[in-house]
Amino acid sequence: MTSLFVYFGYQLGAIVINCVAGGTLLHILTGVDIRITIVVMSTTALVYSLVSGLRASVLTDVIQMTLILFIALVVVPWVIVKAGGTHVLLSGLGGESGKFRNMLDPYVAYSFGIATTLGLISGPVGDQVFFQRAFAARPKALVKIFVFGGLVFGVVPIILSLLGFIGAAPSVRSAITVTDPQMIGPIVVAHFLPKAALMAFCVLAFAGLSSTLDSTYCAVSSLGTIDVYRRYFKPKASDREVIRVARFTMVLFGVIGTTIGLLQPQLLWVFLIYGALASAALFPTVFSLFSTRLTARGVSWALGLSLALGTPLSLYANVTQNTDLIVLAAVLSVAIGLIVCVVDILRSSEHFSFPVVNEPALPASATQELI
């Protein structure tokens, strides 16, 4: 049950961060009340996920990624040309203050790099979306799917990050008004390009956020049906019941996530907090996959202690904006899991056995049943 808390929590964080990001973008561009745009963002992905589940998610992901790559490869180079060329881009590499031209700046590496890196590494391990895709794919195609998909996806943030450097260039910074640093991309596009290009960029952003949202809805429905309903309530539930529970779980988490999103939390806070949550599952999951000596109780203790100490500390650290505590929370969440798992494996190898808890470390979701 402890592991399910991590997986459910991570999906909830994904819903919140994508609803807020998409809602904020739509609000800035259209002037519509941000509460309305957040709800629109959430319900758009929810509706087609409810209708066709994972099939709809896969189909729309292919279409959305094609749109994202095409638009990004047109809009970003166009902005660079209009801004004055690559020398303007290079002049913004130091950030708004110009102090960070050293890519290995120790303060940036410490204050932002550590927590972000640990969260990004832990994310795929604690994200049910990836387990679901692995279950749904043909075994022989798994390596190609994850390697090729990861490489294609990696191109997107690299290209779009160039808009931020353009916005930080001294010649551009003095000519634009940045009301929200998190929206620097569309602000830069709006300044240099015609409205049609801005609308295309909005389609890009909306496609990316919707893609993550529909995958998250499908993932949380899988957890709710296979790992909760069939495991703890009705093991022999029919396919019709499973689909009904899956849709109920989607709606439930959609409502909870959207409600939290309406509070408009800082996106960076949400990212770092649910990154710390995912970090708790990093080593318990890795050792569960590659070690036969890790016991279920060891996994439970690793997750429980990481959640009890790391997650509350991360919440407090981000709300108070205490950099040292943010870093400590990120490291602590990972370190506790590593230490407890190693101790448990060593005890097991010395024939000190823990009482076995009948709880899998990984989600047992057979997601094909939701297709």
Side-chain angles (χ1 to χ4, degrees):
M1 188 62 73
T2 309
S3 57
L4 287 176
F5 179 82
V6 174
Y7 297 122
F8 275 121
Y10 194 87
Q11 302 312 317
L12 182 60
I15 292 172
V16 173
I17 200 169
N18 284 280
C19 285
V20 174
T24 303
L25 177 61
L26 290 174
H27 165 67
I28 291 175
L29 295 174
T30 64
V32 176
D33 190 300
I34 191 170
R35 292 169 294 185
I36 296 175
T37 57
I38 288 174
V39 172
V40 168
M41 187 72 217
S42 176
T43 54
T44 299
L46 178 60
V47 167
Y48 65 80
S49 298
L50 285 170
V51 173
S52 297
L54 189 59
R55 288 187 185 277
S57 176
V58 172
L59 177 61
T60 54
D61 281 357
V62 172
I63 297 171
Q64 289 159 345
M65 180 54 75
T66 303
L67 280 172
I68 290 169
L69 287 172
F70 176 75
I71 295 171
L73 290 172
V74 172
V75 169
V76 175
W78 192 3
V79 168
I80 293 173
V81 172
K82 287 289 187 179
T86 54
H87 72 279
V88 175
L89 171 65
L90 295 174
S91 69
L93 293 181
E96 182 183 4
S97 65
K99 297 188 301 182
F100 304 113
R101 294 193 65 82
N102 178 9
M103 296 298 180
L104 300 177
D105 185 281
Y107 178 75
V108 174
Y110 171 74
S111 63
F112 185 72
I114 293 176
T116 303
T117 301
L118 290 176
L120 290 173
I121 291 174
S122 303
V125 177
D127 192 346
Q128 169 65 7
V129 167
F130 292 97
F131 291 120
Q132 186 179 49
R133 290 166 180 164
F135 278 122
R138 295 184 180 91
K140 292 183 179 180
L142 274 176
V143 174
K144 292 180 181 178
I145 289 172
F146 282 92
V147 172
F148 180 71
L151 291 173
V152 172
F153 176 78
V155 171
V156 177
I158 292 173
I159 293 176
L160 295 182
S161 68
L162 301 181
L163 296 174
F165 294 126
I166 290 289
S171 60
V172 177
R173 193 168 65 246
S174 60
I176 62 176
T177 301
V178 181
T179 54
D180 185 349
Q182 297 173 126
M183 294 292 119
I184 186 62
I187 291 172
V188 170
V189 172
H191 179 74
F192 287 105
L193 302 184
K195 186 172 291 186
L198 177 61
M199 296 310 296
F201 183 85
C202 293
V203 170
L204 176 156
F206 195 80
L209 296 169
S210 296
S211 174
T212 302
L213 273 173
D214 63 46
S215 298
T216 300
Y217 283 132
C218 291
V220 80
S221 72
S222 176
L223 289 168
T225 52
I226 307 304
D227 292 282
V228 176
Y229 187 68
R230 271 193 167 169
R231 180 173 176 79
Y232 297 105
F233 295 96
K234 196 172 182 180
K236 295 183 179 180
S238 66
D239 290 344
R240 185 179 294 275
E241 288 179 286
V242 167
I243 292 174
R244 185 170 63 250
V245 174
R247 288 171 173 165
F248 171 79
T249 309
M250 285 186 190
V251 173
L252 176 63
F253 272 79
V255 170
I256 296 173
T258 305
T259 302
I260 297 173
L262 290 173
L263 300 175
Q264 300 175 48
Q266 286 287 327
L267 296 181
L268 182 59
W269 295 4
V270 179
F271 173 76
L272 292 175
I273 291 169
Y274 88 142
L277 187 66
S279 297
L282 177 60
F283 282 109
T285 302
V286 171
F287 280 114
S288 295
L289 291 170
F290 296 103
S291 173
T292 58
R293 293 178 177 176
L294 181 66
T295 67
R297 184 166 183 177
V299 172
S300 296
W301 273 103
L303 287 170
L305 289 175
S306 294
L307 292 173
L309 299 176
T311 305
L313 181 59
S314 180
L315 283 166
Y316 174 78
N318 280 280
V319 171
T320 59
Q321 292 291 282
N322 188 314
T323 300
D324 293 330
L325 289 181
I326 291 174
V327 175
L328 177 61
V331 174
L332 193 63
S333 295
V334 174
I336 290 174
L338 173 61
I339 293 170
V340 174
C341 287
V342 169
V343 170
D344 182 67
I345 290 172
L346 292 176
R347 287 173 63 89
S348 176
S349 65
E350 295 172 2
H351 307 291
F352 289 94
S353 60
F354 288 104
V356 176
V357 178
N358 292 322
E359 176 185 7
L362 299 176
S365 309
T367 53
Q368 295 93 326
E369 300 182 30
L370 301 181
I371 300 178

